[in-house]
């Protein structure tokens, strides 16, 4: 966080004395040091923001993600964050997804014999590079860069001069900056033609450094720059890539002879890589723009009081536009650092406005560049640095293609414009518009939204207030005319709803208006608003219709439930008390579902057969309502008839399966358990079709009978059913039941079976009445019907 510059008062002078000038001097020095620190911190932040903007453009990531990537790269390469920012800026034009690394030193020939190279001292070089990276944030011109390089390289590597050349479009070199070189030599070597034998050019062509360490041998191979001064005994020419290829040659000249050690070479290569960022901006300024178009546009831009820039696209090797170069700019176009006009020319668009990479304007620029239609943005807020102060303003942006480039302009909205925009937004969002009528002149004024509501062409003008009721439907005209009349004659405010016909159908409108009186109290002007309530009214009507339909459906379902329940009671009469069948005590319980309006298909049958045996059947038809009741009646009576006429249990199940398959409901299904008890043998023979197993309680223990094979009724036309048998003993209790007794939502049926078995064991000593047993086991929500057949074998003394 930036700390403000503190102001320290000087100690008060002694009475009659003079101020302590030394104390004042110390205060001024501290304030100046603090100001320098703040300026350096601001410049460092600007470099970080530019590097983030470059990375955001390359990867399409957010500002936070870009900063995190820079930190990751710096940590991996053991560099400072500022160094990594300069490297990222230098590698922008030819960047790939790979992390930038310093090129390995590749001398053009083996170094001359000299002292053995010392190991690379990472701590020393890292400190030096850190100092240099901080110094680069204050660089404003190429000459600044050259002088700062010399200041840092002189003590580090013994450099005595620095020369920076840039490759020209013709293939030669142009001296961009120099330090430590006198004006005569700089003027003589300000331009170098594209000749062979120039070490700086050779370095750029091969994209490799050139180490010139022996003047005599070097002069045989190269034309040495500045040789006439006979001062430079060793030279290093380092290629720097600021575009698609190496285009800047950095020259380090020394008066001392001898080779560049390994440590010095690695250090100079790292310095060259670090300088790519500042040099790239300088080279971009010198890159050819859109030719005469850019010059002409800049001439026009210099005289325009608007904010606009002319942009040239910068594409990657794959043809994707990664950034734009500013080729012309008006004086009203300010970037994030407060630069404007010609100061922006040559800079990258995302360096000047890095936040654009994460906004719709970036995509709009790409769309406008690729098509013919211009892009116009929605209003957005932007913090801009204008005249040294930061302002939050509302803007709209427009991007339009011009030749191969793009013109982007911004319009700043003043408070009155913003207020008008807010009013327009309120009218649009509320689907309402304002209207005024002058009763003295008969003139009126409508907002554009009122014309849209009435679907009236603005060229037709405003409808006079006295004629407004004619726009309503005939049924609504009297009420609307009465309200308008009271408003005009007596000045009584009105709030009236009416309908009007439009080419797109009937609209439901509301008009609220009041009259403004003159000095005598007579109405002279009416103002108010008209609101379109069609969507709301349609929703209300749809809700009313839905409620009516629900009530109707509820009545139908209730009537069906009543009929089904009565039919079920007639078809399935429940005994009021336990009955005796074939020497067994049989109790039946049926509990209908509590939830919903439909009647279920659970049923039972307990009868004594002509031969003295007893037949017990419990079944469950899938579904609810009249269809389930009809299927239940069909199965119940058919099953009894088949057993009475001599069918076996498995034979009856097979025929019931065929009957269900050929019924009116081809998708119907049912489960069933059938048991036949012989009192002579005390034997129970039973079969089942997809039904839960019976529970046997004997001697204080409860267990489920092992089910014989049997498929669900109605599932297939080739089912297989088997029988099982068990001999019942005095005191036995056997429960036949439907799944509603053991099933609960969101619970495994195994839990329900365990619960039923536990209840059977607890009541083994003194069997509880069936109603109590069911009450303890039922689902509290009562989502399904329950039917239970309780068969008890009396003890010998109870027979």
């Amino acid at each position: 966080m930036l700390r403000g510059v503190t102001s320290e008062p000087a100690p008060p002078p002694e009475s009659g004395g003079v101020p302590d000038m030394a104390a004042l001097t110390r205060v001024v020095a501290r304030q100046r040091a603090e100001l320098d620190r703040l300026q350096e911190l601001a410049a460092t932040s600007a470099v970080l923001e530019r590097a983030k903007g470059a990375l955001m453009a390359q990867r399409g990531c957010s500002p936070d993600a870009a900063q995190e990537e820079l930190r990751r790269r710096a940590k991996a390469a053991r560099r400072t964050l500022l160094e990594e920012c300069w490297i990222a800026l230098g590698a922008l034009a030819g960047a790939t997804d790979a992390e930038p690394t310093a090129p390995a030193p590749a001398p053009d020939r083996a170094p001359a014999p000299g002292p053995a190279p010392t190991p690379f001292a990472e701590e020393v070089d890292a400190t030096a590079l850190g100092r240099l990276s901080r110094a680069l944030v204050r660089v404003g011109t190429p000459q600044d860069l050259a002088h700062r390089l010399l200041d840092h390289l002189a003590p580090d590597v013994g450099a005595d001069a620095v020369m920076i050349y840039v490759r020209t479009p013709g293939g030669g070199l142009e001296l961009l900056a120099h330090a430590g070189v006198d004006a005569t030599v700089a003027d003589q070597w300000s331009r170098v033609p594209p000749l062979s034998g120039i070490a700086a050019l050779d370095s750029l062509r091969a994209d490799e450094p050139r180490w010139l360490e022996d003047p005599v041998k070097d002069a045989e191979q190269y034309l040495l720059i500045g040789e006439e001064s006979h001062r430079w005994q060793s030279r290093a020419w380092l290629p720097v890539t600021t575009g698609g290829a190496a285009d800047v040659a950095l020259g380090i000249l020394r008066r001392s002879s001898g080779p560049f050690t390994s440590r010095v070479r690695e250090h100079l290569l790292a310095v060259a890589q670090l300088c790519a960022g500042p040099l790239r901006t300088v080279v971009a300024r010198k890159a050819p723009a859109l030719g005469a178009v850019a010059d002409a546009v800049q001439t026009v831009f210099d005289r325009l009081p608007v904010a606009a820039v002319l942009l040239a696209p910068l594409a990657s090797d794959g043809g994707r536009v990664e950034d734009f170069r500013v080729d012309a700019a008006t004086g009203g176009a300010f970037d994030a650092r407060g630069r404007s006009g010609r100061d922006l020319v040559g800079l990258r668009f995302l360096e000047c406005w890095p936040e654009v990479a994460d906004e719709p304007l970036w995509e709009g620029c790409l769309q406008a560049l690729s098509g013919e239609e211009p892009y116009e943005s929605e209003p957005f807020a932007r913090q801009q640095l204008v005249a040294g102060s930061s302002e939050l303003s509302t803007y709209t942006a427009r991007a339009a293609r011009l030749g191969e480039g793009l013109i982007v302009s911004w319009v700043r909205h003043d408070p009155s414009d913003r207020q008008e925009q807010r009013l327009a937004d309120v009218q649009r969002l509320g689907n309402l518009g304002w209207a005024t009528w002058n009763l003295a002149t008969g003139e009126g004024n409508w907002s554009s939204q009122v014309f849209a509501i009435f679907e009236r062409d603005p060229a037709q003008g405003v409808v006079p207030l006295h004629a407004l009721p004619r726009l309503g439907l005939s049924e609504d005209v009297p009420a609307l005319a009465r309200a308008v009349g009271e408003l005009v004659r007596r000045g009584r405010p009105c709030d009236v709803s009416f309908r009007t016909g439009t080419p797109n159908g009937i609209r439901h409108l509301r008009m609220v208006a009041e009259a403004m009186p003159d000095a005598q109290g007579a109405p002279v002007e009416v103002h108010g608003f008209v609101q379109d309530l069609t969507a709301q009214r349609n929703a209300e009507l749809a809700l009313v219709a839905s409620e009516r339909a629900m009530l109707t459906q509820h009545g139908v379902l209730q009537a069906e439930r009543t009929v089904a329940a009565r039919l079920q009671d007639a078809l399935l009469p429940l005994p009021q008390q336990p009955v005796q069948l074939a020497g067994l005590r049989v109790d039946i319980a049926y509990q209908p579902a509590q939830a919903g309006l439909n009647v279920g298909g659970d049923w039972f049958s307990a009868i004594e057969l002509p031969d003295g045996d007893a037949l017990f059947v419990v079944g469950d038809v899938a579904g609810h309502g009249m269809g389930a009741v009809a299927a239940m009646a069909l199965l119940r009576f058919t099953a009894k008839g088949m057993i009475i006429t001599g069918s076996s249990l498995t034979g009856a199940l097979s025929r019931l399966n065929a009957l269900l398959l050929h019924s009116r409901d081809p998708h119907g299904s049912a489960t069933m358990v059938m048991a036949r008890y012989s009192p002579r043998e005390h034997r129970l023979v039973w079969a089942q079709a997809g039904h839960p197993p019976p529970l046997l309680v004997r001697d204080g223990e409860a267990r489920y009978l092992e089910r014989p094979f049997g498929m669900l009724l109605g599932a297939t036309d080739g089912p297989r059913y088997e029988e099982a048998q068990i001999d019942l003993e005095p005191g036995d209790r056997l429960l036949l039941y439907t799944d509603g007794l053991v099933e609960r939502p969101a619970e495994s049926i195994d839990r329900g079976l365990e619960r039923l078995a536990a209840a059977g064991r607890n009541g083994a000593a003194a069997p509880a009445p069936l109603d109590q047993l069911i009450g303890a086991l039922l689902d509290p929500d009562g989502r399904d019907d329950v039917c239970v057949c309780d068969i008890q074998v009396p003890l010998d003394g109870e027979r």
Side-chain angles (χ1 to χ4, degrees):
M1 181 180 231
L2 293 179
R3 295 175 297 170
V5 179
T6 58
S7 176
E8 301 182 18
E14 304 234 350
S15 176
V18 297
D20 188 347
M21 297 306 296
L24 290 174
T25 302
R26 287 194 296 272
V27 170
V28 171
R30 282 196 295 271
Q31 291 183 342
R32 182 170 298 168
E34 178 69 7
L35 182 59
D36 290 342
R37 186 187 69 81
L38 291 175
Q39 288 176 345
E40 180 176 345
L41 184 57
T44 302
S45 299
V47 173
L48 175 60
E49 291 303 316
R50 289 168 58 193
K52 285 165 57 180
L55 207 57
M56 287 160 61
Q58 289 177 355
R59 298 198 167 194
C61 60
S62 66
D64 291 342
Q67 184 164 344
E68 184 61 28
E69 174 66 13
L70 289 171
R71 292 184 185 279
R72 186 192 66 78
R73 291 184 181 182
K75 182 178 180 181
R78 297 177 22 172
R79 292 189 282 257
T80 66
L81 180 60
L82 187 58
E83 293 170 25
E84 190 60 45
C85 289
W86 282 123
I87 292 172
L89 289 172
L92 175 62
T96 65
D97 289 338
E99 181 175 315
T101 55
D108 55 317
R109 61 181 184 275
T118 59
F120 177 45
E122 293 184 1
E123 293 81 3
V124 175
D125 280 358
T127 302
L129 290 175
R131 289 198 309 270
L132 179 58
S133 65
R134 290 190 295 273
L136 292 181
V137 302
R138 301 300 248 346
V139 168
T141 65
Q143 283 299 121
D144 289 343
L145 176 61
H147 284 289
R148 292 192 183 275
L149 283 176
L150 183 58
D151 291 343
H152 285 74
L153 293 179
D156 293 339
V157 301
D160 296 296
V162 172
M163 301 183 77
I164 304 175
Y165 280 97
V166 61
R167 193 201 299 261
T168 63
L173 297 176
E174 179 181 351
L175 184 61
L176 190 63
H178 60 87
V181 179
D182 58 52
T184 303
V185 174
D187 184 62
Q188 289 175 346
W189 293 93
S190 61
R191 280 179 172 76
V192 178
L195 304 173
S196 59
I198 304 293
L201 267 176
D202 191 21
S203 171
L204 293 181
R205 289 167 180 159
D207 197 11
E208 294 177 351
R210 292 293 180 256
W211 311 99
L212 309 185
E213 300 159 326
D214 186 336
V216 177
K217 293 183 178 179
D218 294 334
E220 297 174 359
Q221 183 177 1
Y222 295 112
L223 176 62
L224 301 179
I225 295 178
E227 176 58 24
E228 55 276 1
S229 63
H230 302 289
R231 280 186 289 180
W232 321 119
Q233 299 301 308
S234 57
R235 300 171 172 83
W237 291 102
L238 312 172
V240 181
T241 301
T242 66
D247 47 7
V248 174
L250 175 61
I252 310 299
L253 289 72
R254 303 189 305 183
R255 290 191 179 94
S256 61
S257 60
F260 293 90
T261 65
S262 298
R263 185 192 68 82
V264 171
R265 290 189 179 193
E266 292 180 3
H267 184 68
L268 289 179
L269 289 171
V271 168
Q273 188 179 22
L274 201 61
C275 292
L279 285 171
R280 188 180 61 81
T281 301
V282 174
V283 174
R285 292 172 180 265
K286 299 181 66 64
L290 296 176
V293 174
D295 295 337
V297 171
Q298 185 61 62
T299 302
V300 176
F301 275 10
D302 289 339
R303 293 165 175 78
L304 290 180
V306 297
V309 291
L310 173 65
L311 303 178
L314 301 176
S316 64
D317 295 337
R320 184 172 66 90
V321 175
E322 294 182 337
D323 203 345
F324 293 88
R325 184 183 61 244
V326 180
D327 282 350
T330 64
F334 290 88
D335 73 347
R337 296 178 61 186
R339 297 171 293 191
S340 66
R342 291 180 178 265
D343 291 338
L344 299 173
V345 175
L347 299 179
R348 304 297 174 99
F349 185 51
L350 292 179
E351 290 180 25
C352 300
W353 295 277
E355 67 278 359
V356 170
D358 204 28
E359 294 179 353
L361 178 57
W362 176 256
E363 292 298 327
C365 289
L366 298 180
Q367 293 172 10
L369 184 67
S370 60
E372 298 297 330
E373 293 296 325
Y375 165 77
E376 299 203 17
S377 75
E378 296 292 331
F380 59 91
R382 177 63 51 76
Q383 199 84 23
Q384 290 290 94
L385 189 64
V386 180
S389 62
S390 182
E391 296 181 1
L392 181 63
S393 302
T394 302
Y395 295 85
T396 54
R398 187 177 191 273
R401 185 169 179 172
L402 177 65
E404 298 300 320
L406 201 65
I407 289 185
V408 178
S409 59
W410 292 268
V411 176
R412 181 172 178 265
H413 302 282
D414 60 27
S416 62
D417 292 336
R418 292 198 297 271
Q419 189 68 21
E420 184 176 348
Q421 181 63 42
R422 291 192 188 102
L423 180 58
D425 291 341
V426 168
Q427 294 186 79
R428 176 177 53 82
L429 295 174
N431 206 1
L432 56 84
W434 56 263
T436 62
W437 289 274
N438 189 311
L439 301 182
T441 63
E443 296 177 348
N445 191 13
W446 285 1
S447 69
S448 59
Q449 193 67 24
V450 176
F451 285 101
I453 290 174
F454 283 105
E455 296 188 25
R456 182 178 176 86
D457 188 353
Q460 295 179 304
V462 175
V463 176
L465 184 59
H466 65 83
L468 189 64
R470 301 175 191 168
L471 298 180
L473 298 184
S474 57
E475 298 90 341
D476 300 336
V477 168
L480 183 56
R482 186 165 50 253
V484 171
E486 292 290 324
L487 175 67
V488 173
R489 290 189 296 272
R490 296 183 174 84
R492 183 175 298 172
C494 74
D495 186 344
V496 59
S497 298
F498 63 98
R499 294 167 296 170
T500 184
T502 68
N504 291 317
I506 302 297
R507 287 182 180 266
H508 296 264
L509 307 182
R510 176 194 179 199
M511 185 179 79
V512 178
E514 64 179 1
M516 301 299 295
D518 59 10
Q520 289 73 35
V524 293
E525 185 176 271
V526 171
H527 61 252
F529 67 86
V530 178
Q531 186 176 17
D532 186 357
L533 302 177
T534 304
Q536 176 182 341
R537 183 58 178 160
N538 288 342
E540 292 173 353
L541 294 175
L543 180 60
V544 170
S546 176
E547 290 176 350
R548 289 176 179 173
M550 289 176 61
L551 291 174
T552 301
Q553 183 66 19
H554 186 276
V556 171
L557 292 176
Q558 186 65 52
E560 181 181 333
R561 176 181 174 84
T562 302
V563 172
R566 290 177 180 175
L567 180 59
Q568 189 180 49
D569 290 340
L571 297 174
L572 196 65
L574 281 173
Q576 300 300 316
Q577 58 186 1
V579 297
Q580 297 291 329
L581 293 176
L584 301 176
R585 183 179 182 275
V586 181
D587 197 2
I588 304 295
Y590 177 79
Q591 182 70 40
Q594 299 299 317
L597 296 175
N598 288 320
V599 177
D602 290 17
W603 58 278
F604 69 92
S605 183
I607 62 173
E608 189 167 318
L609 300 174
D611 59 358
D613 290 356
L615 175 66
F616 306 102
V617 185
V618 172
D620 185 1
V621 176
H624 293 82
M626 294 296 294
V629 173
M632 174 268 291
L634 176 67
L635 293 176
R636 183 171 187 266
F637 291 112
T638 304
K640 289 195 298 183
M642 288 182 179
I643 300 300
I644 291 174
T645 56
S647 293
S648 65
L649 299 182
T650 55
L653 289 176
S654 297
R655 292 181 179 88
L656 290 174
N657 178 77
L659 181 65
L660 201 57
L661 281 174
H662 295 86
S663 65
R664 288 183 297 176
D665 183 6
H667 303 291
S669 62
T671 66
M672 185 184 300
V673 58
M674 301 180 69
R676 182 168 185 160
Y677 175 71
S678 172
R680 295 174 297 279
E681 302 173 347
H682 305 290
R683 180 167 297 165
L684 182 81
V685 180
W686 66 288
Q688 62 87 28
H691 203 83
L695 176 68
L696 175 64
V697 181
R698 174 181 291 174
D699 298 331
E701 295 295 329
R703 68 180 179 88
Y704 290 100
L705 301 183
E706 185 175 350
R707 295 194 309 171
F709 189 85
M711 301 183 67
L712 183 77
L713 297 178
T716 178
D717 57 359
R720 179 168 63 90
Y721 299 101
E722 296 177 355
E723 292 180 349
Q725 62 183 20
I726 182 173
D727 293 336
L728 298 182
E729 300 176 1
D732 284 355
R733 186 180 191 181
L734 188 69
L735 295 179
L736 309 180
Y737 54 90
T738 57
D739 58 5
L741 186 64
V742 294
E743 280 190 343
R744 290 185 182 180
E747 183 181 86
S748 170
I749 192 173
D750 293 335
R751 293 286 303 276
L753 293 172
E754 293 173 2
R755 193 164 43 246
L756 175 59
R761 285 191 298 270
N762 295 336
L770 186 56
D771 291 343
Q772 294 182 13
L773 178 66
I774 294 178
L777 295 173
L778 279 181
D779 178 10
D781 295 333
R783 299 174 183 269
D784 198 2
D785 295 355
V786 175
C787 182
V788 181
C789 179
D790 183 8
I791 304 171
Q792 299 183 28
V793 181
L795 297 172
D796 291 338
E798 298 176 352
R799 292 180 182 272

